[in-house]
Amino acid sequence: MLKSHSCGELRKGNVGEKVTLAGWVDRRRDHGGLIFIDLRDREGTVQVVFNPEVSPSCHGTANDMRSEYVINVSGEVALRPPGTENSQLSTGDVEVIASDCTILSVSETPPFYINQEIEVEESLRLRYRYLDLRRSRMLRNLTLRHQVVKFIRDFLDARGFLEIETPIMIKSTPEGARDYLVPSRVHPGKFYALPQSPQQLKQLLMVAGVEKYFQIAHCFRDEDTRADRQPEHTQLDLEMSFVTEDDILNLMEELLTALVLAVKPEIKVIKPFPRLAYDDTMERFGTDKPDLRFGLELGDLSDIVAGSEFAVFRDTVASGGRVKGICAPGCGGYSRNQLEELNKIAQGLGARGLLTVALGDAPGSLNDLTLDMVKSVAARYLTLEQVKEIAGRLGGDMGDLLLIVAGEPKMVNKVLSELRTEMGRRLELADPNTLAFAFIQDFPLLRWDEELGRWDSEHHPFTAPKDEHIPLLDTEPGKVHSKHYDIVCNNYELASGSIRIHDSELQHKIFSLLGYSDEEIQQRFGTILEAFHYGPPPHGGIAPGIDRIVMLLAGEETIREVIAFPKNQSAVDLMLDAPSPVTEEQLTELHLRLRNE
RNA sequence: GGCCCCGUGGUGUAGCGGUCUAACAUGCCACCCUGUCACGGUGGAGAUCAGGGGUUCAAAUCCCCUCGGGGUCGCCA
């Protein structure tokens, strides 16, 4: 080793020791005579003093050192002279008096600051990711990620789980997201696909008798990216045999609670995790991944306004639509501009408009409310009683602002859910130091796909229907609920899982319901159906997204901040410049020809 | 594919029709400096204001297009 100690570990106790350090020049302070260098490695920073009276040659070398040069230094650890200690630095009581040093490598001036926490354009960071990762924020995030994965491995190992790797090149099954494909050289015209998740493989491991499986698995989906979505991401893939829904949920609750306590004890977690039914959640929050750190729940006003003079509302209800709203406390004095901003959000998500009702512009008792205090374009079509009833339904008080959307139920929920999030942000209702985990359960098994004109799986086709709903598969498939569950947290979907079908006949029936011919079923799912003829155990599992968990624990806004080498929004790796063209020879070997488009 | 936001020395920002021959901070280079720690001091280099077109007597500034980046809807079983 070129170093006897790490820079960050030196303390008073090391005084008098002769040490050898290696690292990067974080900062250089040249006093003409003395030169100070803050030497940085992964563990921290320590001050090195180059004194011409101690070593003239060393001082000369230090003269040439610049930021991010890599150097090797030997010298004695000394107590700093009284009054020159630096309490900002964990090593600030001591310094290393250089008696010997070498420049191991030089550095050009970096394209952005390594030693300062200044926001830099993300594309530049991504292009020089290896420099970006030198910055303390990124080092912190990578370290946290390591701790999270290590904790998960230890936790599951202690409970008898086997970590098993599954292949990255598997078979394409063209439902769900688009596959990334890998052309085969040996088999002209045939392709492997990268796994969107190891779903079928982990179920086959259950048939194999593994009983408790997990994997830190890479998953690939060729879909557009988001702040919380990348073309490839990592999930904790987990599957167990002989379990019920509760067994999985209890395990996950224990894991997540212990994880947070282990790596971020200062973060608050609410225990036990609430368990919410999908239908209720949609009704109350308009989304299946609500932020439960604050209230602002949606209220249904359809019955109140059905008979009102306000035609927009009356007609919406009459034609099968819904009228719902939320209450923004203390926002009754919102300016026209502020209201217009909210209106734009609503319209951007498909609402015809947003009706705002200001219950006066100052706090007070709702009993004192009069109609001329109500500011709303609908004010003259509503009675005072109706306004009070609406306010009551939404938990509104004097000085509050009611936000009301009318229309097709799905859109109404989406818009209000977004407005709820927006108002939560504006009013700072969500404690940034809390992770509000919750389980969402009791999902519908199927959803009607308008475009394809057929039923589609809400989760995936291996999800087991609720036992008591199985008869409905033949009569009213839309009413069948399933043993599918999600873990949500702070407006993110963290995990999705289900108890699986382990009966080949029932599985076949589901595939048929989804519109597959027997031939297609055989071709796409033949393996798992065949495996189910050989004693499959009842089983189920779940797959939490590692990137999102680490992002939330790190307090970051995008998963790119917790991935060492992420791709940008256009799925490009700016550092490696991938994807990139390949040679004609490569294409020929793969039996491929590019289309002219 | 739709919508919204952004693009000014290496980096981060200011400037938002004329006073811009583009400012500030930091970084960089040179010199001075033996107790600094975001060291200090003096001097210096560094920007076709993302690219193209238009409006105007005059454009970094207004308009249009393109490119690049971000957010989001669709999409993500």
Side-chain angles (χ1 to χ4, degrees):
Chain A
M1 284 292 286
L2 299 181
K3 52 204 279 187
S4 64
H5 293 71
S6 59
C7 300
E9 70 175 291
L10 298 178
R11 294 290 184 278
K12 275 181 187 167
N14 301 100
V15 168
E17 287 179 41
K18 168 104 177 171
V19 298
T20 303
L21 304 177
W24 286 261
V25 174
D26 196 59
R27 248 189 198 95
R28 171 172 165 275
R29 290 178 293 280
D30 184 349
H31 284 241
L34 286 179
I35 294 175
F36 298 96
I37 277 182
D38 293 337
L39 190 62
R40 181 190 74 235
D41 64 14
R42 213 186 71 191
E43 306 304 322
T45 301
V46 70
Q47 173 166 280
V48 182
V49 185
F50 296 85
N51 189 330
E53 286 165 15
V54 173
S55 164
S57 73
C58 243
H59 182 264
T61 308
N63 223 7
D64 293 332
M65 293 176 189
R66 293 294 182 272
S67 286
E68 301 309 317
Y69 276 34
V70 181
I71 63 171
N72 217 180
V73 178
S74 295
E76 194 180 313
V77 180
L79 221 45
R80 291 197 185 190
T84 65
E85 300 87 354
N86 184 350
S87 58
Q88 310 275 56
L89 213 57
S90 53
T91 60
D93 288 327
V94 298
E95 60 193 10
V96 174
I97 312 298
S99 52
D100 215 352
C101 74
T102 350
I103 293 177
L104 297 173
S105 76
V106 300
S107 171
E108 291 178 19
T109 304
F112 48 81
Y113 298 103
I114 307 293
N115 52 15
Q116 281 183 42
E117 299 261 337
I118 281 183
E119 282 300 324
V120 180
E121 196 189 323
E122 198 181 354
S123 54
L124 191 68
R125 292 174 56 203
L126 291 180
R127 188 157 143 238
Y128 296 96
R129 188 60 153 180
Y130 46 88
L131 295 180
D132 189 36
L133 294 178
R134 262 188 211 169
R135 311 209 298 169
S136 57
R137 170 191 185 183
M138 287 294 111
L139 178 61
R140 213 161 48 230
N141 289 351
L142 290 183
T143 306
L144 176 66
R145 186 175 178 124
H146 162 78
Q147 289 167 339
V148 167
V149 172
K150 168 91 162 58
F151 182 91
I152 289 172
R153 285 205 159 100
D154 292 345
F155 180 95
L156 293 173
D157 173 67
R159 282 158 185 78
F161 282 79
L162 293 185
E163 181 172 8
I164 299 174
E165 291 173 76
T166 53
I168 292 295
M169 293 195 290
I170 59 170
K171 180 185 169 75
S172 175
T173 54
E175 48 275 326
R178 273 181 284 266
D179 283 327
Y180 278 103
L181 297 177
V182 179
S184 164
R185 171 182 59 82
V186 184
H187 302 281
K190 293 186 178 176
F191 295 81
Y192 302 96
L194 308 185
Q196 295 177 27
S197 80
Q199 183 60 36
Q200 293 196 49
L201 293 159
K202 69 173 170 178
Q203 290 193 244
L204 291 167
L205 285 172
M206 292 303 105
V207 180
V210 168
E211 293 198 31
K212 294 176 175 184
Y213 144 90
F214 84 98
Q215 178 180 196
I216 307 296
H218 262 84
C219 304
F220 306 85
R221 293 178 188 177
D222 186 3
E223 298 291 349
D224 288 351
T225 64
R226 286 290 185 278
D228 62 348
R229 273 164 36 189
Q230 282 269 301
E232 56 181 304
H233 74 284
T234 308
Q235 51 185 45
L236 162 59
D237 195 47
L238 183 147
E239 196 80 5
M240 297 172 80
S241 296
F242 312 114
V243 288
T244 63
E245 197 164 337
D246 274 349
D247 294 319
I248 301 279
L249 300 193
N250 291 340
L251 177 77
M252 293 314 295
E253 180 164 338
E254 200 191 335
L255 168 62
L256 288 168
T257 309
L259 170 68
V260 175
L261 189 67
V263 302
K264 282 273 176 179
E266 67 273 23
I267 291 182
K268 287 193 287 273
V269 170
I270 295 149
K271 257 194 97 169
F273 297 177
R275 301 188 179 193
L276 309 173
Y278 171 84
D279 289 342
D280 293 342
T281 309
M282 292 303 291
E283 203 52 43
R284 291 169 57 192
F285 304 101
T287 169
D288 60 0
K289 49 184 176 73
D291 189 338
L292 296 175
R293 290 174 296 175
F294 58 93
L296 253 58
E297 293 189 20
L298 281 54
D300 191 338
L301 314 170
S302 305
D303 57 318
I304 304 177
V305 300
S308 81
E309 300 284 306
F310 193 46
V312 179
F313 286 180
R314 202 182 50 219
D315 296 349
T316 297
V317 178
S319 60
R322 300 276 293 278
V323 178
K324 295 176 75 174
I326 58 170
C327 168
C331 297
Y334 256 35
S335 69
R336 196 166 306 179
N337 249 343
Q338 289 172 301
L339 296 176
E340 185 49 34
E341 276 173 18
L342 298 178
N343 188 38
K344 273 200 177 132
I345 292 174
Q347 291 187 335
L349 292 168
R352 296 269 307 279
L354 170 70
L355 181 77
T356 55
V357 180
L359 303 173
D361 52 11
S365 163
L366 208 51
N367 292 328
D368 302 334
L369 187 73
T370 61
L371 215 39
D372 47 292
M373 294 165 77
V374 177
K375 298 272 186 301
S376 173
V377 296
R380 59 196 168 110
Y381 303 107
L382 296 170
T383 65
L384 184 60
E385 287 320 304
Q386 285 171 331
V387 172
K388 283 188 177 174
E389 206 180 344
I390 290 171
R393 184 78 52 93
L394 302 180
D397 220 329
M398 280 284 276
D400 293 351
L401 179 69
L402 309 179
L403 306 175
I404 303 173
V405 178
E408 187 266 320
K410 243 174 104 178
M411 179 276 292
V412 169
N413 276 339
K414 170 177 273 309
V415 172
L416 284 172
S417 155
E418 190 52 46
L419 288 171
R420 177 177 176 271
T421 305
E422 175 67 18
M423 293 319 297
R425 191 163 31 232
R426 289 186 185 207
L427 300 170
E428 294 180 359
L429 298 177
D431 175 11
N433 213 28
T434 294
L435 292 180
F437 294 104
F439 295 114
I440 312 298
Q441 298 173 274
D442 207 9
F443 282 80
L445 179 71
L446 303 165
R447 95 171 85 88
W448 183 255
D449 188 318
E450 285 293 343
E451 237 170 83
L452 299 175
R454 65 168 177 86
W455 291 105
D456 198 8
S457 295
E458 172 70 31
H459 183 38
H460 58 53
F462 310 106
T463 305
K466 297 213 164 220
D467 299 335
E468 64 273 25
H469 287 179
I470 290 180
L472 290 173
L473 284 171
D474 297 315
T475 53
E476 296 176 281
K479 293 204 167 153
V480 177
H481 283 223
S482 72
K483 301 176 182 173
H484 162 206
Y485 35 81
D486 279 356
I487 302 174
V488 302
C489 181
N490 297 11
N491 211 1
Y492 290 97
E493 180 190 308
L494 278 197
S496 215
S498 61
I499 300 299
R500 328 294 183 189
I501 296 167
H502 66 280
D503 176 274
S504 62
E505 233 172 88
L506 179 59
Q507 186 65 72
H508 193 277
K509 183 172 199 160
I510 298 288
F511 286 140
S512 303
L513 247 176
L514 295 176
Y516 295 118
S517 68
D518 280 2
E519 198 186 345
E520 286 172 313
I521 294 172
Q522 197 47 43
Q523 192 205 329
R524 294 180 189 178
F525 308 107
T527 306
I528 201 160
L529 284 175
E530 185 180 47
F532 281 4
H533 287 132
Y534 295 97
H539 60 284
I542 194 162
I546 299 285
D547 311 284
R548 290 182 185 173
I549 290 175
V550 178
M551 173 187 78
L552 285 172
L553 289 170
E556 293 287 4
E557 305 266 320
T558 85
I559 61 171
R560 295 188 298 275
E561 302 294 352
V562 298
I563 296 174
F565 301 107
K567 291 170 183 58
N568 75 357
Q569 189 166 72
S570 325
V572 170
D573 184 323
L574 291 172
M575 183 180 70
L576 297 176
D577 188 28
S580 58
V582 295
T583 64
E584 197 53 44
E585 288 71 27
Q586 287 175 294
L587 289 176
T588 303
E589 268 191 329
L590 295 169
H591 322 285
L592 296 177
R593 189 170 22 238
L594 295 178
R595 298 160 67 104
N596 289 316
E597 285 178 348

